[in-house]
Amino acid sequence: LWMFLPEPIASINLAEEFDIPSILPAAYYQLLRCSPSADWDYDFGQRALGIYEITWRTPARWPQLTLSSSFKLLKFREALNFHVDFWISYYQYDKETACEEEKPEACKKVWASIKEGEKERRESMLASQDPLLCLRKTLEELERSGRCDGCLDSIDQNAKRIRKDIWGFLDSIA
């Protein structure tokens, strides 16, 4: 999938050089997902030679990252580590008023599973450095859970707030 996206450091450098701030949050988010041990040019060079290595690592052109951009990336990683617990627990915000009691046992099970899965979601979010992917996977899982529409609405609204918060952090740092 990464090979279909623009290389994030080149995007950041372009945006900073030509004052195009609108692409910076997405470029920094993509860079956050990149592995420091994966080199963009090496990976594409291997592909050009017909060598297709299956790897989970997303590459970047790390030597081209400026000191200023490195600092911004570190700030976002720090913010991610600091706020991940809030984002994970925020799924449960307003759960008592949202439930329509249409399926009380199913809803109770869903909220309990959200609580029980907090540690696993936290570890997944930190390990992947991809909070939006973790958010999407959690929502997909919860949509199949058999909960009432009120609970689903609550979870959906909370997920939108989390997504907005993540992009807000990126925007403020970039």
Side-chain angles (χ1 to χ4, degrees):
L1 176 66
W2 60 263
M3 63 195 80
F4 300 111
L5 296 172
E7 195 280 323
I9 295 173
S11 299
I12 290 167
N13 291 342
L14 175 83
E16 290 180 348
E17 185 176 341
F18 293 100
D19 193 29
I20 312 169
S22 60
I23 66 172
L24 286 171
Y28 274 104
Y29 187 82
Q30 177 62 13
L31 185 58
L32 178 72
R33 300 168 54 204
C34 292
S35 170
S37 62
D39 180 76
W40 183 277
D41 294 320
Y42 174 80
D43 284 8
F44 268 103
Q46 294 294 89
R47 290 183 190 287
L49 295 172
I51 302 168
Y52 291 91
E53 205 177 303
I54 296 179
T55 178
W56 56 268
R57 303 172 317 151
T58 302
R61 288 188 172 117
W62 291 104
Q64 295 178 10
L65 189 63
T66 66
L67 183 60
S68 170
S69 296
S70 296
F71 183 64
K72 290 175 186 178
L73 179 65
L74 289 172
K75 282 174 62 175
F76 186 67
R77 284 189 185 203
E78 180 181 64
L80 172 66
N81 291 337
F82 182 75
H83 285 88
V84 72
D85 290 323
F86 168 74
W87 292 331
I88 295 298
S89 65
Y90 196 78
Y91 281 114
Q92 297 192 68
Y93 177 75
D94 204 25
K95 70 178 182 182
E96 288 81 16
T97 58
C99 188
E100 296 171 354
E101 299 287 334
E102 296 169 3
K103 306 171 186 176
E105 287 308 308
C107 294
K108 196 185 267 187
K109 254 186 182 175
V110 168
W111 292 115
S113 76
I114 289 173
K115 184 70 177 161
E116 289 168 8
E118 282 182 3
K119 182 179 179 189
E120 184 180 304
R121 275 192 296 282
R122 180 185 196 287
E123 290 170 359
S124 174
M125 193 178 286
L126 291 174
S128 73
Q129 296 290 303
D130 194 344
L132 295 175
L133 176 66
C134 293
L135 182 63
R136 189 177 74 229
K137 284 183 175 183
T138 300
L139 285 173
E140 289 169 358
E141 178 186 320
L142 293 172
E143 285 175 354
R144 296 186 301 267
S145 65
R147 76 288 150 255
C148 74
D149 290 338
C151 287
L152 181 61
D153 270 357
S154 175
I155 292 166
D156 190 49
Q157 290 304 312
N158 294 343
K160 286 178 183 174
R161 288 183 192 118
I162 295 167
R163 191 177 305 117
K164 184 177 178 183
D165 197 30
I166 290 168
W167 285 111
F169 270 117
L170 279 165
D171 204 31
S172 71
I173 292 170

